[in-house]
Structure formats: C-alpha cells, structure tokens
Amino acid sequence: MFKSLSSRIFVGLFAGLILGTIIQYGFAGSSFANTTLVDIASGAGSMFVQLIMMLVVPLVFFSIVTGIAELRDLKSFGRLGSKTFGLYLVNTAVAIIVSIGLAMWIAPGAGMNLVGDQNASLTSTELPGFIDMIVNIIPSNPIQAFASGNMLQIIFMALLTGGIVKALGDEVQPVVAFFQLGNKIMLKMITVVMSIAPIGVFALMVKLGATFEPEAFLSVFSYMAVIVGLLAFWALVVYPVVIGMTTNISASEFRRKTREQFLFALSTASSNATIPVTMRTLTEKLGVKRSVAGFGVPMGATMNMSGVAIYITVAAFFVGNAFGTPITMDQIPVLAFSVFLLSIGAGGVPGGGIVMIGVLIHQMGLPVEAIALVAALDRIIDMFCTSTNVVGDSAVVTMVDHSEKLEEAKLNEPVKA
C-alpha cells in the first residue's frame, strides 16, 4: 500500500506523533513510557540525524567539484553562479516584502497585552556584519572548516578546487574521475540511509509528541497560524506555480516530486540535514543535471532562507503588537534590511531562526522578555520554516537548470547559412 518512500515517511511522521501524544497523556504516570521509551526514541532519532549529517560535508564538497568539472567551460560556471545567487537573493527579498505586507494587514498579536519571562536574556545583540560575512567565507584553516561543518567555507574551497580542476583540463583527468566516483559513492550512501528514513522520522516525532506542550501555542494560536499558513502557502502554492510558469514541469508534478523532501525537512527541521534528500529529489525526480544541483543545493542550504525570512518578519510584528509597541512605517526599511541579513546568516540547523529573532527583537527596541514566548513555539514553526527553505532550493535550482538547458540548446543549434 505504501510503496513510495515519501508515503512511508508520511506514515512514520504521523504515527510517531500520535504515539508520542498517547505516551504524554495516556501514560503520564508511567516512568517507563515517559522516560525510557522517550529516551530510546530520542536516541534513535538523534542517531538518524547524525547519520544524515555525516554525509553532508563530503557530499557537498564532492558534488560541487564534480559539478564544475562536468560543465562545458568556465564561462558556464560564471553564468550558473550568477543565476543561482541572483535568484536566491530575489526569492528571499520577495518573501520579506510579502511577509511585511501580510503582517501589517493581519496585525498578529494586536490587543493581546502579553507578558513574557522577565528573566529572559539574549546571547547576541548585534546584526551580522555584511563585510564580516564576506571575509569569513575564506577559511584560514581548511581542516577546521571541514571539522566544524562551516558550509560557506566548504563551498568556497569546493568552488576553488573545481575551478582549478576544470582549468587544468585533460592533464588532471584522473582527479576528475576520482571526484566523480566519490560523488557516485556519496549518492549511493544517501540511498542506503534514506531507506531507514521512515524509522528515523518516526523516532523524532515520538519525542516531539511526548514532550511538546500544546498550551504553549493555544494562547497565541493566531500568531502561529499566520506564520505556518504563509510558510505552507509559499512552499505548496507559490513555488509550484512559479515552476509551472517558468519551466516544463507542472505545478502539481513539482509538488508531488518534492513531497518526500518536504516531509523529511518537516521532521528534521534542518536545511543542512536535508541536503542529501534535496540532491536526490532534484537529480532523480526532477531531472536536474548533477552539475547544476551539485552547485546550487549547498549554496541554497546556506543562504536561500525564504522560510526564515517569513518567520523572523512575522515574529517581529507579533512581538511589537503583543507588547504594545507596534512597528511603525519608518521602521519598515530598517526591519526589511535587517531581516535580509539575518535570514542569510541563519544557520541551516534546528533552532537557527530563534537566535536571529532574538537579535532582531533587541535591534528593533522590542521587549526582550518576548524571546521566551517565541521560543516556546519555535520547534513547531521551525519545522515548516525548514520545509519552505528546502522546497525553495529545489524551485530555484530547477529554474536555473531549465535556463541552462535552453542556453545549451541555442549553442547546439546548427548555424544557418
């Protein structure tokens, strides 16, 4: 009945959530159920996420180097990079503009007069400096970059390596073959690990269902509904429609083929952990060239954060309205630019958004104690936030791939006499 992997992941997600909820409310007095079983589920889920994360760094490096080496020429590399980078920035900017407009119209939190945790504090109170972000892309210690999983630095090293390999041409063909085989091995490992994804997702959801407190979001349901609704609309309607309008893939086909990716991101809440699944979705389901996917996906997991942009923007308006200090029109430009920088700087790991919200709350002069309330809802919202981010990665890379194929078709057209 459930032959496709996405269907099995879907079943695992909801079965785990239901079982976790039953443990929390049906066996509240059982230490075995609430402690032992939940700890086992938590351990199994963490092992699965670590198994996926284990593949991310080598996959990113091999896929980018291989992708550049397989391009027609270095001119194609420049064109591919500018298209991908530009679309990611436009995507984030549009998400911010729409979120601001919707938040101003709905005014989440207005009239609630909420009071948060007076003891809350922020560990960071400054916006990430744009120049610092650019400077830190170049690693001073490549080994440390790999060990810490610094994705921007790894991408830089892979781009540099791939460009040099391509420039050297036939004399380094054995090196090209090495990276191609390495990339092939990594893709096979993804297939093997993904075969146990339904079990891993089930374990993650058991932990969530057994520990989440519904009272945390019932009191501010409208705020959560606005964010989750907009995120779901962006991932399930906006991206598929744009793909349907700009490529030869229909909206329904794109939505169907990214379902597995959406559900996986929903369960892990990590863009970086979803990189292998995104690569698989693009190359095996959407027919994107490996060179384009290998270049675009790692970059997207790092800087294409439309979901985070939506989350941060609506959260800022909610906090301002709920605590009687609504954001004014003259603050909108500062808010938009700040969200743009923060969303690009957000980590592709669970909880990355909440850190950025804390920075923005302080930067905008909003009540710091609100961070406790926002954090209480972060796990649920972060799931949808990540799913929106990764589907956006697939949408942008699919559009770039379609554009590249049109460019190649023009180059291959016979010259008319």
Side-chain angles (χ1 to χ4, degrees), residues 119-205:
N119 296 319
S121 61
L122 299 177
T123 57
S124 176
T125 58
E126 295 181 0
L127 288 173
F130 184 73
I131 299 300
D132 290 338
M133 289 172 61
I134 300 298
V135 170
N136 289 331
I137 288 176
I138 302 176
S140 59
N141 186 336
I143 296 175
Q144 184 180 3
F146 276 95
S148 63
N150 188 316
M151 205 54 64
L152 280 176
Q153 294 182 352
I154 292 169
I155 290 171
F156 175 82
M157 287 188 290
L159 292 174
L160 183 61
T161 304
I164 291 175
V165 168
K166 183 64 179 177
L168 290 173
D170 293 338
E171 62 180 297
V172 292
Q173 193 58 41
V175 177
V176 175
F178 165 76
F179 280 107
Q180 288 174 330
L181 287 173
N183 191 50
K184 189 174 183 179
I185 291 170
M186 295 311 302
L187 292 174
K188 181 62 178 178
M189 289 180 70
I190 291 169
T191 302
V192 172
V193 172
M194 284 303 296
S195 66
I196 62 170
I199 300 172
V201 168
F202 173 80
L204 290 168
M205 289 299 104

Side-chain angles (χ1 to χ4, degrees), residues 88-275:
Y88 280 149
L89 294 185
V90 169
N91 179 37
T92 300
V94 171
I96 293 170
I97 292 170
V98 172
S99 301
I100 289 175
L102 184 66
M104 292 179 67
W105 175 47
I106 297 178
M112 296 185 71
N113 298 316
L114 295 175
V115 178
D117 184 356
Q118 299 295 330
N119 296 319
S121 61
L122 299 177
T123 57
S124 176
T125 58
E126 295 181 0
L127 288 173
F130 184 73
I131 299 300
D132 290 338
M133 289 172 61
I134 300 298
V135 170
N136 289 331
I137 288 176
I138 302 176
S140 59
N141 186 336
I143 296 175
Q144 184 180 3
F146 276 95
S148 63
N150 188 316
M151 205 54 64
L152 280 176
Q153 294 182 352
I154 292 169
I155 290 171
F156 175 82
M157 287 188 290
L159 292 174
L160 183 61
T161 304
I164 291 175
V165 168
K166 183 64 179 177
L168 290 173
D170 293 338
E171 62 180 297
V172 292
Q173 193 58 41
V175 177
V176 175
F178 165 76
F179 280 107
Q180 288 174 330
L181 287 173
N183 191 50
K184 189 174 183 179
I185 291 170
M186 295 311 302
L187 292 174
K188 181 62 178 178
M189 289 180 70
I190 291 169
T191 302
V192 172
V193 172
M194 284 303 296
S195 66
I196 62 170
I199 300 172
V201 168
F202 173 80
L204 290 168
M205 289 299 104
V206 169
K207 172 67 181 301
L208 178 63
T211 57
F212 187 72
E213 299 177 5
E215 296 83 3
F217 70 83
L218 289 176
S219 60
V220 285
F221 179 77
S222 62
Y223 154 68
M224 192 179 74
V226 169
I227 295 182
V228 172
L230 184 54
L231 289 171
F233 180 77
W234 211 259
L236 303 177
V237 178
V238 174
Y239 286 137
V241 168
V242 171
I243 289 298
M245 294 172 60
T246 58
T247 71
N248 54 2
I249 299 173
S250 67
S252 59
E253 183 182 2
F254 179 80
R255 192 180 298 112
R256 185 178 68 255
K257 290 182 176 180
T258 55
R259 182 173 57 187
E260 176 187 312
Q261 178 195 22
F262 182 92
L263 292 172
F264 187 86
L266 200 68
S267 62
T268 61
S270 171
S271 295
N272 286 344
T274 313
I275 286 177

